[in-house]
Amino acid sequence: MSEITETIPADRRCWSVSWPQYTPVDVTPPELRPSALAHHVPSWAEAAATPDAVTDWAQRQAVALVPFQRDAQGWPLHPAGRTGRTGRNLGRWGENAAADPIVIAGTGPDRRILLITREDIHQEAIPGGMVDPGESAPAALVRELREETGVDLSDHQSVILGRDLVDDWRQSDHAWVASTSALYVLPITVTATAADDALDATWYPAGSMAALETAIAAAGRTLYAAHRPLIARALAHLDR
């Protein structure tokens, strides 16, 4: 949460701490404001203009990857505390479940990792995305990888590394991203072609985090900060 909450004092992030002067910035884009939703709901978003219009909070809390609470008026509260932002710039209020397939080929210093250049932020990232309604995380891992890189690993076994909050740039006090990250290990690299939300698909050296970040910098690109800890955990898992 460091990148998003750097303007929030550490002793004020917890929801249990009273802060009457707290004035978060509304990050809701025009297409998700009540007046716009009344006429058209984007295909990627739910119709609820505010959390009050959501009727299945008990179910959402029961299946959440990361447990969360709601405030006195029933609005969901970010599990990590105040973000300095309010409103919604994601598809759903509360938790938005994502799937991040980490694909690594080879072993040791010769390892390579498959990353995409994200269309929205133009940074190198894991080829993942949001879990569709009614879809399981394992199915989403396979689908997102195939849609964004053309790589089909439906017949490969993955290792679930974690279910974590993601420091996503769109998050707010009332809407955030939690991801299931999984590791796929291949003997060699396979052909990857960018598609869907990806501008490019590249196999980068990944013998270590330092090697990866050096290679990305040499290419004149930047690693998406929110995915750095996910990748670091994958490499640490392989180094055990």
Side-chain angles (χ1 to χ4, degrees):
M1 294 289 296
S2 59
E3 183 174 332
I4 295 300
T5 62
E6 59 183 7
T7 60
I8 305 298
D11 60 354
R12 298 290 181 89
R13 291 180 187 171
C14 183
W15 293 111
S16 63
V17 175
S18 177
W19 190 4
Q21 296 79 24
Y22 179 54
T23 53
V25 176
D26 192 340
V27 297
T28 307
E31 63 269 26
L32 293 183
R33 296 189 179 278
S35 58
L37 290 173
H39 294 90
H40 172 70
V41 179
S43 60
W44 50 271
E46 65 180 348
T50 66
D52 304 82
V54 176
T55 60
D56 64 343
W57 281 120
Q59 180 181 354
R60 294 191 187 194
Q61 286 180 286
V63 301
L65 296 179
V66 179
F68 67 92
Q69 303 297 319
R70 290 186 288 153
D71 64 15
Q73 63 178 338
W75 285 39
L77 296 174
H78 197 301
R82 296 181 175 96
T83 65
R85 302 172 172 213
T86 190
R88 171 171 66 115
N89 194 10
L90 288 162
R92 289 161 56 93
W93 291 102
E95 182 178 280
N96 288 256
D100 288 308
I102 303 170
V103 185
I104 295 179
T107 60
D110 296 324
R111 289 186 310 219
R112 290 188 170 267
I113 186 171
L114 178 58
L115 300 179
I116 62 165
T117 305
R118 282 178 52 154
E119 184 179 43
D120 56 353
I121 55 176
H122 294 255
Q123 294 181 354
E124 305 306 279
I126 299 165
M130 297 302 175
V131 177
D132 289 339
E135 183 181 37
S136 68
L141 288 162
V142 171
R143 176 184 54 78
E144 285 289 344
L145 180 62
R146 183 174 57 244
E147 289 178 353
E148 296 192 343
T149 69
V151 175
D152 187 351
L153 296 184
S154 56
D155 60 345
H156 285 65
Q157 184 67 40
S158 66
V159 176
I160 302 298
L161 296 177
R163 296 173 176 86
D164 315 279
L165 290 173
V166 176
D167 191 12
D168 191 278
W169 63 276
R170 296 162 293 183
Q171 69 187 333
S172 73
D173 288 352
H174 308 296
W176 58 90
V177 177
S179 172
T180 297
S181 58
L183 174 64
Y184 292 86
V185 179
L186 306 180
I188 59 173
T189 60
V190 296
T191 300
T193 304
D196 196 33
D197 297 328
L199 298 176
D200 198 5
T202 306
W203 286 98
Y204 284 101
S208 65
M209 278 303 302
L212 172 60
E213 291 177 323
T214 297
I216 290 175
R221 298 180 177 178
T222 303
L223 178 62
Y224 180 36
H227 284 176
R228 190 184 189 285
L230 304 183
I231 296 172
R233 181 168 58 192
L235 297 183
H237 176 85
L238 293 173
D239 288 336
R240 291 189 307 182

